[in-house]
mmCIF file of all heavy atoms in Angstrom:
data_model
loop_
_atom_site.group_PDB
_atom_site.id
_atom_site.type_symbol
_atom_site.label_atom_id
_atom_site.label_comp_id
_atom_site.label_asym_id
_atom_site.label_seq_id
_atom_site.Cartn_x
_atom_site.Cartn_y
_atom_site.Cartn_z
ATOM 1 N N THR V 99 -155.973 -12.453 -46.273
ATOM 2 C CA THR V 99 -157.408 -12.754 -46.205
ATOM 3 C C THR V 99 -158.184 -11.717 -46.991
ATOM 4 O O THR V 99 -157.938 -10.510 -46.840
ATOM 5 C CB THR V 99 -157.867 -12.743 -44.730
ATOM 6 O OG1 THR V 99 -157.195 -13.776 -44.010
ATOM 7 C CG2 THR V 99 -159.386 -12.979 -44.653
ATOM 8 N N TRP V 100 -159.069 -12.169 -47.822
ATOM 9 C CA TRP V 100 -159.930 -11.288 -48.646
ATOM 10 C C TRP V 100 -161.390 -11.347 -48.148
ATOM 11 O O TRP V 100 -161.838 -12.342 -47.654
ATOM 12 C CB TRP V 100 -159.923 -11.732 -50.107
ATOM 13 C CG TRP V 100 -158.652 -11.685 -50.856
ATOM 14 C CD1 TRP V 100 -158.168 -10.637 -51.575
ATOM 15 C CD2 TRP V 100 -157.700 -12.734 -51.008
ATOM 16 N NE1 TRP V 100 -156.959 -10.955 -52.180
ATOM 17 C CE2 TRP V 100 -156.653 -12.236 -51.843
ATOM 18 C CE3 TRP V 100 -157.597 -14.033 -50.530
ATOM 19 C CZ2 TRP V 100 -155.562 -13.001 -52.205
ATOM 20 C CZ3 TRP V 100 -156.500 -14.803 -50.886
ATOM 21 C CH2 TRP V 100 -155.488 -14.288 -51.724
ATOM 22 N N ARG V 101 -162.102 -10.240 -48.390
ATOM 23 C CA ARG V 101 -163.539 -10.247 -48.241
ATOM 24 C C ARG V 101 -164.149 -10.861 -49.519
ATOM 25 O O ARG V 101 -163.603 -10.676 -50.618
ATOM 26 C CB ARG V 101 -164.080 -8.827 -48.099
ATOM 27 C CG ARG V 101 -163.772 -8.179 -46.754
ATOM 28 C CD ARG V 101 -164.269 -6.738 -46.709
ATOM 29 N NE ARG V 101 -164.051 -6.143 -45.413
ATOM 30 C CZ ARG V 101 -162.910 -5.593 -45.031
ATOM 31 N NH1 ARG V 101 -161.870 -5.605 -45.872
ATOM 32 N NH2 ARG V 101 -162.781 -5.062 -43.832
ATOM 33 N N VAL V 102 -165.244 -11.538 -49.381
ATOM 34 C CA VAL V 102 -165.914 -12.178 -50.498
ATOM 35 C C VAL V 102 -167.355 -11.772 -50.528
ATOM 36 O O VAL V 102 -168.112 -11.979 -49.545
ATOM 37 C CB VAL V 102 -165.821 -13.716 -50.440
ATOM 38 C CG1 VAL V 102 -166.528 -14.331 -51.621
ATOM 39 C CG2 VAL V 102 -164.363 -14.156 -50.436
ATOM 40 N N ASP V 103 -167.807 -11.163 -51.635
ATOM 41 C CA ASP V 103 -169.209 -10.854 -51.844
ATOM 42 C C ASP V 103 -169.837 -12.098 -52.454
ATOM 43 O O ASP V 103 -169.499 -12.474 -53.595
ATOM 44 C CB ASP V 103 -169.367 -9.670 -52.792
ATOM 45 C CG ASP V 103 -170.821 -9.289 -53.041
ATOM 46 O OD1 ASP V 103 -171.724 -10.043 -52.606
ATOM 47 O OD2 ASP V 103 -171.045 -8.225 -53.652
ATOM 48 N N LEU V 104 -170.700 -12.774 -51.734
ATOM 49 C CA LEU V 104 -171.265 -14.042 -52.227
ATOM 50 C C LEU V 104 -172.107 -13.850 -53.491
ATOM 51 O O LEU V 104 -172.436 -14.843 -54.173
ATOM 52 C CB LEU V 104 -172.089 -14.674 -51.122
ATOM 53 C CG LEU V 104 -171.284 -15.103 -49.874
ATOM 54 C CD1 LEU V 104 -172.178 -15.805 -48.872
ATOM 55 C CD2 LEU V 104 -170.120 -16.024 -50.261
ATOM 56 N N ASN V 105 -172.473 -12.610 -53.821
ATOM 57 C CA ASN V 105 -173.162 -12.345 -55.089
ATOM 58 C C ASN V 105 -172.145 -12.313 -56.269
ATOM 59 O O ASN V 105 -172.564 -12.400 -57.403
ATOM 60 C CB ASN V 105 -173.916 -11.025 -55.018
ATOM 61 C CG ASN V 105 -175.075 -11.071 -54.048
ATOM 62 O OD1 ASN V 105 -175.793 -12.071 -53.997
ATOM 63 N ND2 ASN V 105 -175.219 -10.042 -53.245
ATOM 64 N N GLU V 106 -170.889 -12.149 -55.937
ATOM 65 C CA GLU V 106 -169.817 -12.163 -56.929
ATOM 66 C C GLU V 106 -168.616 -12.901 -56.345
ATOM 67 O O GLU V 106 -167.567 -12.334 -56.092
ATOM 68 C CB GLU V 106 -169.444 -10.719 -57.325
ATOM 69 C CG GLU V 106 -168.602 -10.602 -58.568
ATOM 70 C CD GLU V 106 -168.288 -9.176 -58.917
ATOM 71 O OE1 GLU V 106 -168.772 -8.265 -58.221
ATOM 72 O OE2 GLU V 106 -167.542 -8.957 -59.881
ATOM 73 N N PRO V 107 -168.762 -14.215 -56.095
ATOM 74 C CA PRO V 107 -167.775 -14.959 -55.308
ATOM 75 C C PRO V 107 -166.414 -15.127 -55.958
ATOM 76 O O PRO V 107 -165.483 -15.566 -55.265
ATOM 77 C CB PRO V 107 -168.473 -16.311 -55.087
ATOM 78 C CG PRO V 107 -169.394 -16.456 -56.251
ATOM 79 C CD PRO V 107 -169.895 -15.046 -56.549
ATOM 80 N N ALA V 108 -166.247 -14.829 -57.243
ATOM 81 C CA ALA V 108 -164.963 -14.996 -57.895
ATOM 82 C C ALA V 108 -164.134 -13.717 -57.860
ATOM 83 O O ALA V 108 -163.055 -13.662 -58.443
ATOM 84 C CB ALA V 108 -165.152 -15.442 -59.346
ATOM 85 N N HIS V 109 -164.614 -12.680 -57.176
ATOM 86 C CA HIS V 109 -163.885 -11.425 -56.987
ATOM 87 C C HIS V 109 -163.708 -11.204 -55.493
ATOM 88 O O HIS V 109 -164.681 -11.022 -54.757
ATOM 89 C CB HIS V 109 -164.660 -10.246 -57.632
ATOM 90 C CG HIS V 109 -164.009 -8.938 -57.433
ATOM 91 N ND1 HIS V 109 -164.684 -7.746 -57.493
ATOM 92 C CD2 HIS V 109 -162.709 -8.593 -57.153
ATOM 93 C CE1 HIS V 109 -163.860 -6.737 -57.273
ATOM 94 N NE2 HIS V 109 -162.645 -7.234 -57.045
ATOM 95 N N TRP V 110 -162.431 -11.198 -55.073
ATOM 96 C CA TRP V 110 -162.098 -11.028 -53.688
ATOM 97 C C TRP V 110 -161.412 -9.692 -53.457
ATOM 98 O O TRP V 110 -160.669 -9.235 -54.314
ATOM 99 C CB TRP V 110 -161.205 -12.154 -53.170
ATOM 100 C CG TRP V 110 -161.629 -13.533 -53.570
ATOM 101 C CD1 TRP V 110 -162.893 -13.934 -53.902
ATOM 102 C CD2 TRP V 110 -160.806 -14.705 -53.694
ATOM 103 N NE1 TRP V 110 -162.927 -15.267 -54.205
ATOM 104 C CE2 TRP V 110 -161.639 -15.758 -54.107
ATOM 105 C CE3 TRP V 110 -159.436 -14.931 -53.502
ATOM 106 C CZ2 TRP V 110 -161.147 -17.038 -54.328
ATOM 107 C CZ3 TRP V 110 -158.954 -16.215 -53.734
ATOM 108 C CH2 TRP V 110 -159.801 -17.246 -54.141
ATOM 109 N N THR V 111 -161.606 -9.058 -52.299
ATOM 110 C CA THR V 111 -161.005 -7.749 -52.043
ATOM 111 C C THR V 111 -160.318 -7.753 -50.669
ATOM 112 O O THR V 111 -160.769 -8.407 -49.738
ATOM 113 C CB THR V 111 -162.051 -6.627 -52.078
ATOM 114 O OG1 THR V 111 -163.073 -6.886 -51.127
ATOM 115 C CG2 THR V 111 -162.666 -6.510 -53.465
ATOM 116 N N HIS V 112 -159.258 -6.969 -50.608
ATOM 117 C CA HIS V 112 -158.459 -6.862 -49.368
ATOM 118 C C HIS V 112 -157.996 -5.429 -49.234
ATOM 119 O O HIS V 112 -157.515 -4.835 -50.190
ATOM 120 C CB HIS V 112 -157.282 -7.809 -49.429
ATOM 121 C CG HIS V 112 -156.331 -7.697 -48.286
ATOM 122 N ND1 HIS V 112 -156.594 -8.182 -47.044
ATOM 123 C CD2 HIS V 112 -155.119 -7.103 -48.192
ATOM 124 C CE1 HIS V 112 -155.576 -7.932 -46.231
ATOM 125 N NE2 HIS V 112 -154.658 -7.260 -46.906
ATOM 126 N N ALA V 113 -158.152 -4.857 -48.043
ATOM 127 C CA ALA V 113 -157.734 -3.485 -47.793
ATOM 128 C C ALA V 113 -156.248 -3.441 -47.438
ATOM 129 O O ALA V 113 -155.798 -4.195 -46.587
ATOM 130 C CB ALA V 113 -158.574 -2.873 -46.665
#
Side-chain angles (χ1 to χ4, degrees):
T99 298
W100 295 270
R101 289 177 176 82
V102 179
D103 182 351
L104 297 182
N105 294 317
E106 194 178 356
H109 177 203
W110 313 337
T111 58
H112 174 76

